Each structure stands twice: as C-alpha cells, then as structure tokens.
Amino acid sequence: MSYNTKQAYQEYLKSDDWAWVQEQCKKRDKACQKCGKKYAPGERGFGVHHTSYQYVGAADINELESVILLCRHCHRIVHGLNPEPTKMAKIDTDLEKWFAEWDAGKR
C-alpha cells in the first residue's frame, strides 16, 4: 500500500503493523533519544517519531531503523509545536516555586 497521502498515513498509524513498530522501538530505545528521559513500559507521554518516511508501512527492520522514541515535549519540539520559550520558562518558575513551598511544608 502507498502511504503518500495524509489520509493513508493516518490509517497506517492505526494499524497493527504500526503498533508493532512502536512496541519494538520502545523496547530498543528505553528513553527519549533527544533529552534522555527514561521510558517505563506502558508509560504515557512518549511517542515514536519517523526520522525518515522511506520505509513507512514496511513494519520490518527497515522501518524500525527509521524511528526513534521521543518524550512528548521533545516530540513537539521536533514538529515545531512547542510553546514559546518564555511560556516554558514561566511554567518552570511556577513549578520551582510550588516545589519550594512543598519542601517548606506550605503545601
């Protein structure tokens, strides 16, 4: 089958073949290949990313060699969907403040 249309590719992403590729990639990589965040089996928040679309649909070693495991944050960066750095900095600051309050027994 040809996966040269968005619709065909979306259908492939629902297939058992793609599920197999994802499972094998997660077993192989065990962590985000961009930031190193560890993956635990069954953990949500990770995605398998095609680094090349040459072997899409092959569901074999060739396709497996063209995918990597990424955490949600890094996957969004790769696709250009991440929030602006200033928004992320504010989130980080808010989290640091919350944890500091937690450590001080204020939460």
Side-chain angles (χ1 to χ4, degrees):
M1 178 177 198
S2 173
Y3 295 99
N4 59 359
T5 67
K6 184 176 181 178
Q7 182 179 2
Y9 181 66
Q10 293 298 324
E11 286 301 314
Y12 172 66
L13 296 180
K14 299 174 188 173
S15 73
D16 290 341
D17 288 344
W18 176 240
W20 179 86
V21 170
Q22 291 183 89
E23 180 183 334
Q24 297 306 309
C25 179
K26 290 173 181 177
K27 286 179 183 177
R28 178 196 66 202
D29 290 351
K30 298 181 174 88
C32 176
Q33 298 301 291
K34 185 164 173 50
C35 73
K37 180 179 179 181
K38 300 291 183 203
Y39 169 76
E43 183 177 358
R44 297 176 56 109
F46 282 81
V48 176
H49 174 73
H50 278 100
T51 57
S52 166
Y53 292 92
Q54 180 178 359
Y55 298 108
V56 170
D60 63 11
I61 194 67
N62 290 321
E63 185 173 12
L64 192 55
E65 289 178 359
S66 67
V67 295
I68 58 173
L69 184 63
L70 295 174
C71 69
R72 180 177 291 140
H73 177 76
C74 291
H75 206 174
R76 291 180 60 80
I77 290 171
V78 168
H79 284 285
L81 301 172
N82 213 47
E84 298 171 21
T86 54
K87 290 181 183 175
M88 288 306 297
K90 180 171 181 353
I91 291 169
D92 289 343
T93 300
D94 290 347
L95 283 172
E96 287 175 18
K97 180 180 175 186
W98 191 91
F99 281 114
E101 290 174 357
W102 175 271
D103 290 340
K106 295 179 183 176
R107 290 224 176 227

